[in-house]
């Protein structure tokens, strides 16, 4: 098997997730984010129990992990193969989630940093 095959292998294996867990934990301990935005079911499941996307997308939830508390605003995966974003309740919940992110104090603080603002500005 070529060395690059893992790039197109789809979801990570349990072993890969387990191997990366210490790095994730350490990154969270160092950064101590006030807002976590997981994108897609796999990322969401890292922080929340996900029975269905419509149970978490469009909500501002709280986690306490690695000695800090943070808000979590989950987003669906932007895959073109999924119809979830194009149908209800996905369309409404995505709009609600994006509005929650836009109004979150941590996101607003990022927008206040001069070097970040051009990157976050909507392009016309």
């Amino acid at each position: 098997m070529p060395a690059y095959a893992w790039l197109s292998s789809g979801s990570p294996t349990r072993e890969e997730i387990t191997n990366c867990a210490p790095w994730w934990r350490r990154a969270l301990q160092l950064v101590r984010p006030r807002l976590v935005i997981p994108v897609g079911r796999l990322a969401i499941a890292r922080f929340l129990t996900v029975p269905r996307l419509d149970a978490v997308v469009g909500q501002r939830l709280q986690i306490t992990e690695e000695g800090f508390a943070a808000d979590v605003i989950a987003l669906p995966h932007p895959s073109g193969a999924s119809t979830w974003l194009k149908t209800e309740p996905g369309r409404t919940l995505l709009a609600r989630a994006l509005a929650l992110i836009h109004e979150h104090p941590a996101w607003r603080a990022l927008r206040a940093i001069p070097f970040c603002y051009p990157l976050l500005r909507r392009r016309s």
Side-chain angles (χ1 to χ4, degrees):
M1 178 179 285
Y4 58 82
W6 65 273
L7 292 174
S8 61
S9 66
S11 298
T13 65
R14 257 186 221 278
E15 181 182 13
E16 290 168 330
I17 292 170
T18 301
N19 289 343
C20 288
W23 298 99
W24 269 108
R25 281 194 296 278
R26 186 64 181 139
L28 290 172
Q29 290 168 345
L30 291 171
V31 175
R32 301 177 69 83
R34 294 183 296 159
L35 174 62
V36 175
I37 307 171
V39 178
R41 186 178 302 275
L42 187 64
I44 295 167
R46 165 62 183 83
F47 297 98
L48 305 167
T49 302
V50 187
R52 297 179 331 266
L53 279 179
D54 60 2
V56 293
V57 174
Q59 296 185 55
R60 180 175 164 176
L61 304 166
Q62 285 222 315
I63 59 164
T64 302
E65 188 167 321
E66 305 302 331
F68 72 95
D71 290 328
V72 176
I73 302 174
L75 295 175
H77 194 281
S79 167
S82 172
T83 59
W84 197 87
L85 294 168
K86 300 171 189 145
T87 59
E88 292 301 335
R91 290 176 73 164
T92 300
L93 294 175
L94 174 61
R96 188 178 303 158
L98 293 173
L100 288 170
I101 291 168
H102 179 75
E103 295 302 321
H104 194 279
W107 187 259
R108 288 180 118 23
L110 268 180
R111 291 175 53 205
I113 300 172
F115 70 88
C116 285
Y117 184 74
L119 300 174
L120 301 174
R121 226 181 351 193
R122 181 182 288 208
R123 296 182 191 265
S124 40

